[in-house]
Amino acid sequence: MSWREPLPAACWNAEAVFSIIPVEAETPSDSVFNATHSALPILRREKIDRHAGAVVDENVLLDAVNQQPADYPVLPILGRSGAGKSHLVRWLRMNLELKPGTRLVFVPKHRTSLRGILELVLKHAPQARAAELRRRVDAAVDSLGNEQEARLRLRSELATLIETRGAQPGVHSSEEAELRQYLASSLPALLLDPWFRSSLLADNGAIARLVKEKLRGKDETNKEDAFGFTADDVRLSVDDVRHASREAQDIAGALASDDELPRLAADMLNEQLSQAVSAVFGLGGDDLKNLLVELRLELAREGAELLLLIEDFSIFQGIQGGLIDAITLVPSADLAVCPMRVVMAVTTGYFTNHLPDTVKTRTYVAFDLDLPVGTDRQVDAAAFAAPYLNAVRVGAAALEAARRVGDDVPNACVECPVTDRCHSAFGAVDGVGIFPFNRESLVRAIRSKSGVDGGFVARDVLTRVLRPVLHRDREAIAAGDFPTEFFAREFATGAEGLLDIEDEARLERSEDPPSTNERRKRLVRFWGSEGGAQNLAGTIHQAFNVPAVGGLTTERKVAKPPRLRLEDADIVNSEPAPEIPMLVAAVDRWIETGEIQQVVRNELRRIVHALVVERIDFDDGCWGRAPWTDPSRAMPAFPQTAIHLGESPKGAEGRLVGLTIEGGTSRDARALRALAWYSKSGSWRLVPNGAALQRLAYEKLEEWSTSVSQRLLPGRESESPELVAVVYALDAGAQILGVPGAYRDDLVDRVAAIVDMGETGGKGGETWPAFAPLVNSARTGGVAAAADREQLRNRLLRLASFSQGGKPLALDIPRIARALKQAEQFSGIPGDLTEEVERHLAVLAAQLAKLDDFANSAQEALPDLDAIGADIREATAVVNDLLDRAASANLLPSGVSPAVVRQVGREIKDGDIAAVARVRQRLIDWANLSQREKLRVLTMDWHAPASRVLAWSAAADHALTKTEAALVADVGGRLQPELERAGQRLDAALQRACFELDGLLAGDADVLA
């Protein structure tokens, strides 16, 4: 049943919202604009360099425009984006009473291209001049074809201008002049480099934005600030800079590694924008200046004046220099131009940072919509919102009808059956109700959308507060499902700290469903006073279908928290409630927003961890408490960091026994808050409602400790699948790491290898890059955290060792032997494993499945002994002799060094060929080997011998190839027979080895280079 029977609960049509509350001030009709207009306070700044002055209204602005003298032609309307500048400009247009001789040129900010700006001015220009400029702009724009072509041409024009004009003399320091010289010579290489093209011409880049604005004008998505180059626009990156030219790489690197250089580069690009825009689009700053000067001369002959009303001055970027020159040109005896006044809306930042001092010295007075913090007269949120709320209720059609017949704006509240109750409960401004808001909820919603400084931004209030609530939430209000969870999240930051978790507990009724209890909390948080748990005016509860809570006051309190309620006979405390400790206040903020500082998180973890561990029985005859709370000594472990406040475990947290404490209004959160208060007070008697909260906290601690101990402390059954799995993983890992004992049959050696950390392993797996994934799987289980193998070993000790005083005393060798025998039949990953063991096994199994791939890689990494022969010393002697003879005959080509070849040959050891031959034979028999034998092959110390042989063969091949070419070309083959005999020892397989070496041994390749 609607509280407004027989009318719907919501007194407006959701579809009317967008026609009444648009994004831009120029969008609504005049009737809607007049109906929703409210005067904002404005700061009149007599001194442009000071953010101070008198707070006035729009009528003072109107008087200033009418009284503006000709020698101070500039009147800026300042403010941040969305502050209401466009609204004020429109109000001026509608209220200016122009003199008969005043020619008004209004330049809107949206959909105004260069061609559009020109047309606005040409309406008052001499016909011949107008026709000429139209032809130039039309020809330039039509010749572009499309935006992509315009982007390319603008890029090229900027590159040319930077190179030719970027370093021109000016008022620069010697250091800046030097940097400008460097950028003028280097920046064009970056601008024109094909590899950086996609970054420079990206849709969200400065060049694309400028082209779009000049061809089509700004749209509603564009910011009011200038679309110039910024430092970030010239800090370019691409996927692979090596494909760019050397010059582009150098300047890109310099820009990426310096803070000042990108800013200077952006300034230099912006300095050339005007000339570049003129060249590409056919209209430049000088053209606009000349046009305006000619127009002013013509209007002077007619005895007229020119008033330029600009909604957003930044749309003149690229041609603003000419406009500024024309603006600051004042009439004189020698120059009979007409008076020209300019009223411009411009963001404060653009006016301060991008306009020259000549504009500021010609400024009559500035009107600023950004009031200084602490100004007495601030915006009344309810007074601002009320006209919009009324207009939405009335509708655009009814507003237009009233305007046509000259009636006042209708007030929808006049016909409402609950006007008195509604206005009394929710509030009203000049007879217009502000339902569904009241003043508190409106201020809090606006506060959540305010910037860092908390300033009032009209556009944000309209589009981020009023419009979404009136449109999106209208159905929920009508259905009695408001305030919604989405509403509370959307505006959460504006109502932080108004209810704590105990307040929320008092706002629950057992007879209500959870959804109703949650809506009641949201209602009190946003619509209530700052007095904690309370009932609101009955009409508010009725309007939103939220029953009040019996026993709660409806009086508005100003102090928080309330006095202590004596709910338990064993707590006697008639004093006012103690001040909330900072830790408890931090918990309240976390409960409300989900945000928590790390120092607070750590303190709460410490408190909970100590109390949970205290309740777990670690004294089971095997180990003590310390190893199971330290993840570096055992796994799984339960350290303080395994306690999660609302968040999900991340990264390697699966290796830990986690404890998640839920946030929001859960019993977890209430218990955590109680423990925080107890930790600071030292006694439950000093905690408000201490007896009840003590019971709750102890119940949760028992629940948490049971959960942790069940997952933390494993059983010690002799047939434990986990023990077999751990032994298998450690045994296979020892083999992969090349631990010698892992390949012996002696049981003691095998067990010693199992608990070895791999520090005594062979070198093959360590130094062969292709084998690294398998080594990593054995050592870390594929997890980034170090010492996973040590964790597995500690797990083994926990499962199969005897201890005293919390330290392992002896291994249970029989149990490990049985597990080792069962591990030989290991296949697949059994269930009921701890997560970290299961993951380690999965990664290990995946790598072991690739043994054939590793074998193929090893085969490719071996040198072809058939091309070298069994006697490596003979082969090196033949090559050295040939190179020495070529050198003595002065026939050795550049880039060939006999000394390098000889040095690489000396590195080869006598057993290298035999080592390579043994591995090659085992690889030939690969299919007949067991997994253990295969791992032994891969971990043998063969890679270093193979690398030394490959290094020499590559060096020899390189030297012989270049020497052969030199001999054929220079001496007609005089030493060709000797070369051929050496070549017989180094066939095509040796040449291929050169390329193999390049990929396998970067270090050896560097020696060759």
Side-chain angles (χ1 to χ4, degrees):
M1 183 176 185
S2 167
W3 73 294
R4 298 178 65 245
E5 287 292 346
L7 300 177
C11 54
W12 68 91
N13 187 333
E15 300 308 315
V17 173
F18 290 104
S19 61
I20 301 297
I21 307 178
V23 175
E24 296 300 334
E26 285 296 316
T27 305
S29 64
D30 287 348
S31 59
V32 171
F33 182 87
N34 283 326
T36 56
H37 174 72
S38 60
L40 294 174
I42 311 170
L43 184 69
R44 177 185 170 110
R45 295 168 56 179
E46 300 287 349
K47 295 184 178 297
I48 198 64
D49 57 346
R50 291 181 57 198
H51 194 205
V55 178
V56 299
D57 62 18
E58 58 210 17
N59 292 303
V60 176
L61 168 64
L62 181 62
D63 291 341
V65 174
N66 289 328
Q67 299 167 8
Q68 186 176 358
D71 52 350
Y72 285 97
V74 180
L75 193 154
I77 299 173
L78 306 176
R80 73 189 75 190
S81 180
K85 301 185 297 297
S86 294
H87 184 96
L88 202 52
V89 168
R90 180 170 182 180
W91 182 86
L92 273 177
R93 285 177 57 211
M94 297 176 67
N95 289 274
L96 275 172
E97 295 181 1
L98 299 178
K99 302 172 185 177
T102 300
R103 304 288 190 270
L104 174 65
V105 177
F106 170 62
V107 183
K109 69 177 178 181
H110 290 138
R111 310 298 177 190
T112 306
S113 62
L114 280 176
R115 185 184 295 186
I117 293 173
L118 183 66
E119 285 296 334
L120 292 171
V121 179
L122 290 178
K123 289 179 182 179
H124 307 281
Q127 291 301 313
R129 180 61 169 155
E132 175 194 346
L133 284 175
R134 282 194 184 97
R135 283 194 300 270
R136 281 178 50 190
V137 175
D138 290 346
V141 173
D142 293 342
S143 69
L144 289 174
N146 54 47
E147 285 191 22
Q148 184 63 20
E149 181 180 344
R151 295 181 191 182
L152 290 169
R153 289 182 56 184
L154 185 58
R155 179 187 65 160
S156 299
E157 195 65 36
L158 283 170
T160 300
L161 290 169
I162 286 291
E163 186 169 1
T164 58
R165 301 186 178 189
Q168 287 184 348
V171 184
H172 311 304
S173 66
S174 59
E175 181 181 1
E176 181 177 334
E178 183 178 346
L179 290 175
R180 281 177 170 267
Q181 190 70 44
Y182 166 70
L183 288 171
S185 61
S186 303
L187 200 55
L190 182 68
L191 293 172
L192 300 177
D193 187 84
W195 201 251
F196 283 97
R197 169 189 172 126
S198 59
S199 296
L200 282 164
L201 302 182
D203 290 341
N204 61 343
I207 290 178
R209 298 196 307 263
L210 282 163
V211 167
K212 180 181 177 182
E213 179 185 325
K214 300 314 171 190
L215 287 178
R216 292 187 281 166
K218 288 188 176 182
D219 58 31
E220 289 79 0
T221 64
N222 296 143
K223 297 180 180 179
E224 295 177 45
D225 292 326
F227 275 166
F229 286 89
T230 67
D232 289 337
D233 290 320
V234 295
R235 288 192 184 99
L236 299 177
S237 62
V238 294
D239 292 336
D240 190 351
V241 73
R242 292 178 300 173
H243 292 282
S245 68
R246 170 53 60 187
E247 293 80 4
Q249 289 183 44
D250 290 344
I251 181 62
L255 291 169
S257 61
D258 189 276
D259 290 333
E260 186 59 36
L261 199 61
R263 287 193 288 269
L264 180 57
D267 289 343
M268 290 173 63
L269 287 166
N270 290 328
E271 290 166 7
Q272 306 304 324
L273 271 182
S274 179
Q275 189 69 23
V277 166
S278 176
V280 175
F281 299 101
L283 177 66
D286 289 342
D287 296 312
L288 185 59
K289 173 186 175 181
N290 294 334
L291 175 61
L292 286 171
V293 170
E294 292 178 21
L295 176 59
R296 293 181 67 183
L297 289 169
E298 180 69 20
L299 293 178
R301 287 189 284 270
E302 299 176 9
E305 69 166 352
L306 184 63
L307 174 58
L308 202 57
L309 188 57
I310 303 171
E311 189 180 1
D312 179 6
F313 190 82
S314 72
I315 67 171
F316 287 91
Q317 187 189 19
I319 58 173
Q320 72 177 26
L323 176 60
I324 290 171
D325 289 344
I327 290 173
T328 55
L329 194 66
V330 297
S332 66
D334 299 326
L335 187 63
V337 294
C338 76
M340 178 180 180
R341 292 177 290 146
V342 178
V343 179
M344 62 169 76
V346 58
T347 59
T348 307
Y350 188 87
F351 184 84
T352 303
N353 301 323
H354 293 279
L355 295 186
D357 290 339
T358 52
V359 173
K360 298 164 188 174
T361 57
R362 295 290 187 177
T363 294
Y364 173 43
V365 65
F367 289 84
D368 196 339
L369 286 164
D370 292 336
L371 303 186
V373 176
T375 303
D376 291 338
R377 184 179 168 190
Q378 297 290 341
V379 178
D380 184 338
F384 177 82
Y388 288 95
L389 295 169
N390 181 63
V392 170
R393 297 175 190 133
V394 174
L399 292 173
E400 182 61 30
R403 180 176 176 273
R404 280 198 303 267
V405 299
D407 287 348
D408 293 334
V409 175
N411 183 352
C413 293
V414 172
E415 304 296 331
C416 179
V418 294
T419 296
D420 292 340
R421 292 171 52 205
C422 177
H423 288 191
S424 175
F426 288 96
V429 177
D430 296 333
V432 175
I434 59 174
F435 171 77
F437 299 97
N438 64 358
R439 287 184 178 272
E440 287 84 354
S441 61
L442 186 59
V443 168
R444 289 165 192 167
I446 293 173
R447 183 191 301 152
S448 73
K449 301 304 178 184
S450 298
V452 176
D453 61 357
F456 184 91
V457 180
R459 184 190 297 158
D460 287 344
V461 176
L462 296 175
T463 61
R464 302 176 67 190
V465 178
L466 295 185
R467 192 163 70 172
V469 171
L470 297 178
H471 183 267
R472 178 195 66 209
D473 294 331
R474 196 266 180 199
E475 183 176 346
I477 293 172
D481 296 328
F482 187 80
T484 63
E485 181 182 0
F486 187 88
F487 174 94
R489 288 201 311 267
E490 180 80 2
F491 304 115
T493 57
E496 290 179 352
L498 299 183
L499 294 179
D500 61 38
I501 195 168
E502 296 306 312
D503 291 330
E504 295 193 3
R506 295 173 63 202
L507 288 170
E508 293 184 355
R509 298 197 319 171
S510 59
E511 63 267 34
D512 288 336
S515 59
T516 299
N517 284 327
E518 290 304 313
R519 288 196 302 114
R520 183 182 296 109
K521 296 171 192 175
R522 298 172 201 142
L523 185 64
V524 173
R525 178 177 286 110
F526 284 93
W527 275 259
S529 68
E530 298 186 3
Q534 61 192 270
N535 287 324
L536 308 181
T539 297
I540 296 180
H541 282 280
Q542 183 184 8
F544 292 135
N545 191 30
V546 177
V549 177
L552 288 182
T553 179
T554 57
E555 295 179 1
R556 300 199 169 195
K557 309 175 213 175
V558 295
K560 186 177 179 295
R563 291 173 65 89
L564 180 65
R565 296 175 59 219
L566 302 180
E567 296 182 351
D568 302 281
D570 60 338
I571 297 181
V572 180
N573 185 1
S574 60
E575 296 299 319
E579 182 180 352
I580 297 178
M582 292 180 61
L583 185 62
V584 178
V587 175
D588 288 339
R589 177 175 174 80
W590 168 68
I591 291 170
E592 190 168 345
T593 68
E595 299 175 0
I596 187 169
Q597 293 181 344
Q598 190 61 41
V599 64
V600 176
R601 187 191 307 275
N602 291 341
E603 175 67 5
L604 294 171
R605 282 172 167 171
R606 183 192 63 77
I607 293 169
V608 173
H609 185 267
L611 293 170
V612 168
V613 168
E614 184 180 83
R615 286 165 170 76
I616 297 177
D617 181 16
F618 289 99
D619 188 14
D620 60 358
C622 294
W623 283 55
R625 175 183 302 174
W628 297 101
T629 56
D630 182 355
S632 68
R633 299 180 61 185
M635 70 176 195
F638 178 60
Q640 293 180 17
T641 54
I643 298 175
H644 309 286
L645 303 186
E647 75 273 23
S648 301
K650 299 177 182 178
E653 298 292 347
R655 298 151 41 84
L656 310 177
V657 172
L659 173 62
T660 298
I661 298 177
E662 300 295 340
T665 57
S666 66
R667 286 170 59 83
D668 280 11
R670 291 187 65 198
L672 182 66
R673 184 178 189 271
L675 291 172
W677 203 312
Y678 170 75
S679 73
K680 294 304 177 184
S681 65
S683 170
W684 287 107
R685 290 180 174 274
L686 300 178
V687 177
N689 196 19
L693 292 179
Q694 181 182 20
R695 288 192 293 271
L696 170 64
Y698 285 2
E699 288 173 7
K700 294 305 298 185
L701 285 171
E702 187 63 30
E703 177 186 322
W704 293 338
S705 61
T706 300
S707 171
V708 169
S709 63
Q710 287 176 346
R711 290 174 292 154
L712 184 65
L713 303 178
R716 292 177 57 83
E717 301 85 359
S718 60
E719 302 298 330
S720 167
E722 184 176 18
L723 176 60
V724 176
V726 170
V727 167
Y728 169 78
L730 288 169
D731 186 42
Q735 296 168 30
I736 292 170
L737 295 171
V739 179
Y743 296 105
R744 298 174 188 156
D745 295 329
D746 183 81
L747 178 61
V748 175
D749 288 341
R750 290 284 298 278
V751 173
I754 285 174
V755 296
D756 192 292
M757 289 296 95
E759 297 167 353
T760 62
K763 298 180 181 178
E766 291 294 316
T767 58
W768 180 32
F771 199 50
L774 191 56
V775 173
N776 290 338
S777 71
R779 176 160 292 145
T780 68
V783 182
D788 256 20
R789 181 169 172 81
E790 184 177 358
Q791 296 280 14
L792 279 176
R793 181 183 66 174
N794 286 340
R795 190 65 173 166
L796 173 70
L797 296 176
R798 183 64 178 84
L799 293 167
S801 72
F802 304 100
S803 71
Q804 183 175 2
K807 297 181 179 180
L809 185 63
L811 289 171
D812 190 344
I813 298 294
R815 288 194 69 215
I816 296 177
R818 290 194 298 270
L820 190 58
K821 188 169 185 62
Q822 294 180 46
E824 293 175 356
Q825 313 301 322
F826 190 86
S827 62
I829 300 175
D832 300 327
L833 297 180
T834 55
E835 181 180 348
E836 59 278 1
V837 174
E838 182 178 334
R839 181 170 52 188
H840 193 112
L841 284 171
V843 175
L844 184 63
Q847 292 299 325
L848 288 173
K850 301 176 183 178
L851 286 182
D852 289 348
D853 296 335
F854 289 120
N856 292 334
S857 296
Q859 186 75 44
E860 295 172 359
L862 294 174
D864 185 357
L865 298 183
D866 294 337
I868 298 173
D871 191 344
I872 187 67
R873 297 304 178 195
E874 180 184 352
T876 58
V878 170
V879 173
N880 292 342
D881 179 64
L882 176 63
L883 295 177
D884 288 343
R885 293 174 62 191
S888 62
N890 236 6
L891 296 175
L892 203 63
S894 61
V896 174
S897 171
V900 170
V901 177
R902 183 175 287 103
Q903 178 60 37
V904 176
R906 289 197 194 102
E907 298 292 330
I908 299 175
K909 299 180 180 180
D910 291 338
D912 285 354
I913 294 295
V916 172
R918 284 195 300 272
V919 173
R920 181 175 291 281
Q921 184 58 48
R922 299 292 280 170
L923 291 174
I924 293 173
D925 298 334
W926 183 262
N928 301 319
L929 303 181
S930 66
Q931 174 179 294
R932 189 177 177 191
E933 291 171 328
K934 291 177 178 179
L935 288 172
R936 182 55 176 157
V937 172
L938 295 176
T939 57
M940 291 170 61
D941 190 7
W942 57 266
H943 187 252
S947 299
R948 288 191 289 269
V949 174
L950 280 171
W952 174 80
S953 62
D957 179 69
H958 169 76
L960 291 175
T961 300
K962 294 201 69 172
T963 303
E964 178 183 17
L967 292 176
V968 170
D970 296 337
V971 300
R974 179 157 49 90
L975 295 181
Q976 189 65 23
E978 290 85 344
L979 181 65
E980 290 177 354
R981 281 195 296 274
Q984 291 172 1
R985 307 300 300 272
L986 296 158
D987 62 5
L990 187 57
Q991 298 177 28
R992 290 195 301 272
C994 178
F995 297 101
E996 294 176 3
L997 180 69
D998 184 53
L1000 293 169
L1001 266 186
D1004 289 340
D1006 289 340
V1007 173
L1008 297 180

